[in-house]
Amino acid sequence: NNNKYPSVSKIRYVKQYDGFKVEIDDFKLIKLCIMEIEVPDLKFEFEMPHEIWKYILTEVTGQSAFNNSNLAYINKDLPWDNL
């Protein structure tokens, strides 16, 4: 990666669930998936499908470590020549 700024590669899946837009970003090289659900406001309680709970590790809303720009710095430190 010769860019001045690091980048991150992901595959985004967009689905509809119970009237809500659900986006799942799959960052394969750093073994991370993030699911984002568009809700009307932060106090809204979304009822997560039962099948999903076993995959959820933590809530990341407001955690800057999970912004794309910060994830890119993890991505830049991967041993690209060995992948």
Side-chain angles (χ1 to χ4, degrees), residues 10-73:
K10 65 184 178 184
I11 298 172
R12 173 167 284 174
Y13 303 94
V14 180
K15 304 286 183 185
Q16 291 292 320
Y17 175 79
D18 202 22
F20 293 92
K21 179 180 175 183
V22 177
E23 298 175 351
I24 300 170
D25 291 339
D26 186 354
F27 302 87
K28 291 190 180 295
L29 292 176
I30 55 176
K31 297 182 181 178
L32 173 71
C33 286
I34 295 178
M35 181 171 64
E36 180 179 331
I37 302 161
E38 302 282 334
V39 295
D41 61 62
L42 290 177
K43 293 181 181 180
F44 184 87
E45 292 195 23
F46 180 81
E47 190 170 326
M48 190 66 62
H50 176 71
E51 309 82 45
I52 300 293
W53 277 110
K54 65 182 176 181
Y55 300 104
I56 296 175
L57 299 178
T58 190
E59 168 68 50
V60 298
T61 300
Q63 295 186 37
S64 63
F66 292 93
N67 293 346
N68 282 343
S69 58
N70 289 329
L71 291 174
Y73 280 95

